[in-house]
Amino acid sequence: MHAFYNLVSGPLVWVAFAIFLIGSIWKVFSLLSGTKKKDGYVFTYWSWGHAIQSYIHWLIPFMSENSRQQPLMSVMTFLAHLGIVLVPIFTMGHIVLLEEGALGLSWIALPDQVADYAAWAVIAGCCFFAYRRLVLPQVKFVTSCSDFVILAIVVAPFLTGAMAYHGWGDNLLMTSLHMLSGEIMLVAIPFTKLSHMLTFWYTRGYTASEFGAVRKVYDW
Amino acid sequence: MSDTAEHTEAAEPVLTFLEKVHAKAEQDQVDGKYAAFEKIEDVGIDQGVARLTPEKIQKTINGVLKGECGTRMKTYVETCVHCGLCSDACHHYLSNDKNPKYSPVGKVKRTIWNMLDKDGKLTPEECREAVIVAQTECNLCRRCQQFCPFGIDIAYMISTVRRISFKLGITPQYIQDTANSHSVTMNQMWVKDDEWPDTLQWQEDEGRDEIPRLRIPVDKEGADFMYSVIAPEPKFRTHLINQAAVIFDQAGCDWTMPQLPGWDNSDMAMFTGDFETMGRVKKMHYEVAQKLRVKKIVMGECGHAFRSVYDVGNRWLGWRMPPIEMVHSIEFFAQLFREGRIKLKDKYPEQVTFHDPCNTVRGRGLHEDGRYVANLLTQGVVEMSPSKLYNYCCNAGGGVINCGPPWKTKRVLSNKIKAEQLARMKDRGINTIVSPCHNCHGGLEDIIHHYGLEMELKFLGDLIYELMEKPGAVE
């Protein structure tokens, strides 16, 4: 068990971060170079002013028309995404490990209680998304097995983290699984649908540019 | 006996128009009209599908998806998280009992995803489904794009399916016929070169009964603007040319219409994916205006032509924006009113509702201008819900009505949601719909007729012509 812990808390951390970073850079680079090669008009019509307005409207709940029409989905999506971003970066345990590890840097941490709530928000969000996939016909129709795998990849580090924090199950095992699942999620980001974290800015920004700069109308 | 009959009649409940729509939809369901969607035959599609070979299918699909498309398409496919949030944006989905196969993402699944998953190795039957989805179940209205958290351009994806279908030779017969007409005559309706100026002359003559000095200036070089129309105007709605001439004349405009091909601004080739023909047609349109050295093009009340001239044709030809300034008549009429060049002798006696054409609202944000003009002309605009940039499509646009009679029932039934919108207006005492688009008129007329809504449709030009002061007119 200790060997497993040493592996996931040592070399695998570096491997995961490296794959995440290099993969993300590759993803963005291939997106931009591919666009330049065959879809150059995306740059021609790009308008930062409209793109930024659109990002704001779609990242704040109830600012877009569709967000207002889907209040439960809006709240769950917003909380889940907020948790996914905040918990890994601002949890005390993570900051301490990184400070003691190679970074040597630290930053302000969320109170443990808040980080715990945020983690549960992610878990609840993923359960809600899974429920939609199983129950709503319009979502079920376009859902495949891989969509559930993605949800599992996301929920795993938050669930194991919460379990480790609350001391549920064997602590060493939970911590090790938590680290492993976090690493899997990092690696998965550039290569799966989780890459929407990177491509959102492109698709949303281009649509906003077309709607705003050419068609003189909002895209929200 | 007659007493009994009267008694029976009086006892029948008076249905609201909304209830009438629901009753009609239920009857359509019972009559199997919705189920009959699956059995629609179209010579253009069916004979085309019969000619397909596995090699041709794969080569064509991959030629377009891998050759013509690039990172943007790939990114849309990779980014879509299958959340289904686009579903409620689509009138096809809402009107077909929320059947998920009609949701925007459902339609992408049935076309592009299928093509990508199978590396282009579709069966002829799957190709048939793809062209039916692309040409008859999506109006390219872009409402779903406004509802997608990622802003994924589903209309672009469906247009690509149409492009593939065109290259496979399986486009619906009626719309292919109009695209062929564009290719041969440079107009949509097989209007011959001599018929066009003849029609203008005829309408000038008609107009002179009212305005003796009326001219339709043909090929006048250096005029302020060239007025262009869609070919169905000389073919079916000729009086609109006469009306426009009267409005421009009485507003003191310096204008012209071209004599040569290029006068038609419509574009069905854009909607069949025949971009080569689209490019030729648009080039001629811009060039005829440039040859006349006019300052701008003002186009008639059409939606899809606006999309073609303002947004799509120019790009195919390598122009970031159209090479000559062009405005839709909504904008132009608003300008004439703002400048005080049109004065009204009367107002339309009723309140009206306003149906926004997708291509002028999501294509140019002209909803406020449209209402400004309509409010001046009438006792006021009462809004449908949703309206303006969230308006539901008429289900005629995007070339869907141009697929012709085989698809008419499906088109009308697949916009029950619009019928409900209109019925709510009718129940509030609104009898007139103003809509500045030919396609919208076509689609809405069919819906009004099918569901027994008894509403009237008006172009802005109809109302202006009817209500404006005409100092040059004789009694």
Side-chain angles (χ1 to χ4, degrees):
Chain A
M1 181 57 73
H2 280 282
F4 178 49
Y5 176 81
N6 288 340
L7 178 71
V8 295
S9 65
L12 275 192
V13 176
W14 297 109
V15 171
F17 267 106
I19 294 176
F20 166 66
L21 281 174
I22 294 167
S24 295
I25 291 167
W26 162 81
K27 182 81 193 171
V28 173
F29 176 77
S30 61
L31 184 62
L32 297 180
S33 64
T35 299
K36 195 177 169 196
K37 203 167 140 198
K38 282 173 84 177
D39 302 310
Y41 52 86
V42 170
F43 299 117
T44 307
Y45 291 97
W46 191 271
S47 157
W48 277 111
H50 290 102
I52 289 166
Q53 279 187 56
S54 184
Y55 297 149
I56 293 168
H57 274 86
W58 282 92
L59 290 176
I60 297 176
F62 307 115
M63 278 189 86
S64 69
E65 177 68 16
N66 201 9
S67 167
R68 284 192 287 273
Q69 288 186 13
Q70 311 275 348
L72 181 61
M73 179 65 174
S74 297
V75 169
M76 297 306 278
T77 308
F78 181 72
L79 289 177
H81 281 80
L82 198 66
I84 289 169
V85 174
L86 290 183
V87 172
I89 302 173
F90 296 105
T91 302
M92 182 60 88
H94 296 168
I95 296 173
V96 170
L97 278 174
L98 285 170
E99 190 186 6
E100 287 175 355
L103 278 184
L105 289 169
S106 73
W107 50 85
I108 193 159
L110 282 173
D112 285 351
Q113 192 76 48
V114 175
D116 185 41
Y117 286 148
W120 284 107
V122 177
I123 296 162
C126 288
C127 292
F128 176 70
F129 298 150
Y131 168 80
R132 287 181 88 248
R133 294 207 177 284
L134 291 167
V135 172
L136 299 186
Q138 74 272 32
V139 191
K140 199 173 171 184
F141 185 71
V142 289
T143 293
S144 57
C145 191
S146 63
D147 294 306
F148 289 106
V149 173
I150 295 290
L151 281 179
I153 289 175
V154 174
V155 83
F158 293 89
L159 188 62
T160 50
M163 289 172 82
Y165 171 71
H166 289 283
W168 299 341
D170 179 84
N171 201 265
L172 186 62
L173 176 66
M174 277 308 144
T175 309
S176 305
L177 287 176
H178 173 63
M179 288 176 159
L180 179 67
S181 56
E183 285 151 9
I184 290 171
M185 183 175 163
L186 269 181
V187 169
I189 287 173
F191 306 106
T192 65
K193 287 230 175 272
L194 294 177
S195 66
H196 71 258
M197 178 181 122
L198 304 165
T199 55
F200 166 85
W201 311 97
Y202 173 94
T203 56
R204 180 87 264 151
Y206 181 59
T207 285
S209 303
E210 284 271 9
F211 271 71
V214 179
R215 301 179 192 135
K216 314 289 180 200
V217 71
Y218 302 136
D219 64 327
W220 53 79
Chain B
M1 192 66 189
S2 66
D3 280 352
T4 318
E6 271 175 33
H7 181 75
T8 314
E9 205 172 292
E12 267 185 23
V14 180
L15 294 180
T16 65
F17 281 91
L18 187 59
E19 286 165 343
K20 274 188 190 173
V21 168
H22 290 154
K24 180 75 176 160
E26 270 173 38
Q27 191 57 47
D28 289 335
Q29 199 75 260
V30 172
D31 293 346
K33 287 188 183 171
Y34 284 91
F37 288 2
E38 307 302 327
K39 299 186 209 102
I40 298 170
E41 290 174 5
D42 184 304
V43 176
I45 295 175
D46 297 329
Q47 292 191 356
V49 168
R51 286 193 293 265
L52 294 176
T53 60
E55 298 74 33
K56 183 173 181 180
I57 293 171
Q58 191 183 18
K59 193 176 162 211
T60 307
I61 292 174
N62 287 342
V64 174
L65 286 183
K66 294 177 186 168
E68 294 185 15
C69 298
T71 306
R72 186 173 154 221
M73 174 67 86
K74 186 167 169 266
T75 307
Y76 285 150
V77 174
E78 285 176 0
T79 302
C80 174
V81 295
H82 314 160
C83 65
L85 284 175
C86 54
S87 305
D88 284 340
C90 183
H91 49 284
H92 288 273
Y93 168 79
L94 295 172
S95 301
N96 282 292
D97 279 339
K98 300 198 170 190
N99 184 335
K101 76 176 196 173
Y102 294 107
S103 77
V105 64
K107 287 181 264 196
V108 173
K109 179 185 167 161
R110 292 160 66 204
T111 56
I112 296 274
W113 291 1
N114 199 22
M115 291 173 185
L116 289 171
D117 285 350
K118 295 181 177 163
D119 190 32
K121 288 179 197 152
L122 263 56
T123 62
E125 198 44 44
E126 286 172 315
C127 293
R128 188 176 189 279
E129 184 184 12
V131 68
I132 288 171
V133 169
Q135 290 278 176
T136 76
E137 294 173 8
C138 172
N139 302 80
L140 312 178
C141 78
R142 299 195 188 110
R143 194 170 189 267
C144 50
Q145 193 178 359
Q146 271 183 318
F147 279 64
C148 170
F150 298 97
I152 292 173
D153 189 351
I154 291 175
Y156 163 69
M157 299 166 103
I158 297 293
S159 291
T160 304
V161 180
R162 293 182 179 196
R163 171 80 172 154
I164 290 167
S165 306
F166 160 70
K167 290 194 144 196
L168 286 170
I170 57 172
T171 300
Q173 185 195 27
Y174 274 79
I175 192 168
Q176 184 57 52
D177 179 68
T178 56
N180 289 346
S181 175
H182 278 302
S183 180
V184 176
T185 66
M186 289 290 129
N187 73 75
Q188 187 190 333
M189 290 280 134
W190 300 99
V191 177
K192 290 178 189 154
D193 284 357
D194 59 338
E195 289 172 344
W196 165 247
D198 193 50
T199 304
L200 295 183
Q201 209 163 30
W202 163 40
Q203 285 311 303
E204 187 180 80
D205 280 345
E206 292 278 319
R208 283 183 176 205
D209 288 345
E210 186 185 20
I211 314 266
R213 69 161 201 208
L214 187 77
R215 293 296 310 272
I216 295 182
V218 173
D219 271 358
K220 180 184 171 188
E221 284 194 28
D224 278 347
F225 67 88
M226 176 182 100
Y227 184 60
S228 67
V229 296
I230 62 171
E233 288 208 21
K235 199 85 177 178
F236 307 121
R237 288 173 171 162
T238 330
H239 69 287
L240 293 177
I241 296 175
N242 168 5
Q243 287 184 5
V246 171
I247 295 169
F248 297 150
D249 179 79
Q250 296 300 290
C253 298
D254 175 21
W255 66 295
T256 188
M257 290 184 93
Q259 186 192 177
L260 294 173
W263 54 267
D264 176 17
N265 55 29
S266 73
D267 201 340
M268 282 305 125
M270 167 177 77
F271 283 148
T272 61
D274 178 0
F275 298 146
E276 290 77 8
T277 300
M278 174 190 78
R280 287 171 54 221
V281 170
K282 287 307 106 170
K283 186 162 182 276
M284 195 159 263
H285 186 61
Y286 298 134
E287 279 181 357
V288 82
Q290 285 167 328
K291 276 181 198 153
L292 291 175
R293 297 187 295 107
V294 292
K295 295 187 184 75
K296 64 182 169 192
I297 299 170
V298 173
M299 54 167 294
E301 294 182 66
C302 179
H304 93 274
F306 183 80
R307 182 186 193 133
S308 161
V309 184
Y310 177 73
D311 203 358
V312 183
N314 54 308
R315 300 183 190 210
W316 177 262
L317 294 168
W319 295 93
R320 183 174 184 271
M321 297 302 280
I324 178 161
E325 188 192 343
M326 60 92 44
V327 292
H328 192 276
S329 46
I330 299 173
E331 206 175 343
F332 187 68
F333 289 146
Q335 187 193 339
L336 289 180
F337 275 105
R338 286 195 184 103
E339 290 171 359
R341 291 167 70 179
I342 298 178
K343 295 196 172 47
L344 299 176
K345 65 175 165 47
D346 226 341
K347 276 204 171 201
Y348 192 69
E350 294 176 23
Q351 287 186 315
V352 297
T353 190
F354 197 96
H355 170 84
D356 288 285
C358 307
N359 289 312
T360 64
V361 63
R362 277 182 285 276
R364 193 61 171 84
L366 295 180
H367 44 290
E368 296 304 346
D369 273 352
R371 276 158 185 76
Y372 166 69
V373 176
N375 272 315
L376 288 174
L377 289 162
T378 66
Q379 304 302 319
V381 172
V382 179
E383 293 294 347
M384 280 186 266
S385 176
S387 70
K388 299 186 179 176
L389 63 159
Y390 302 113
N391 192 27
Y392 291 131
C393 171
C394 62
N395 207 9
V400 171
I401 196 170
N402 306 76
C403 293
W407 305 97
K408 183 179 169 186
T409 305
K410 180 177 180 180
R411 167 168 60 79
V412 175
L413 267 51
S414 291
N415 211 358
K416 185 177 60 148
I417 193 84
K418 177 57 75 181
E420 289 172 6
Q421 264 193 318
L422 297 178
R424 284 191 195 96
M425 287 291 106
K426 183 74 183 171
D427 284 333
R428 287 180 63 180
I430 308 296
N431 299 304
T432 307
I433 309 157
V434 177
S435 188
C437 169
H438 283 274
N439 265 334
C440 294
H441 275 239
L444 296 179
E445 265 166 21
D446 290 336
I447 287 167
I448 289 166
H449 181 72
H450 181 80
Y451 293 98
L453 293 174
E454 298 160 26
M455 294 176 92
E456 238 189 298
L457 269 165
K458 297 277 188 191
F459 287 103
L460 287 172
D462 289 331
L463 292 173
I464 296 174
Y465 171 78
E466 193 182 322
L467 301 164
M468 76 187 297
E469 277 184 10
K470 294 174 198 157
V474 290
E475 285 305 311

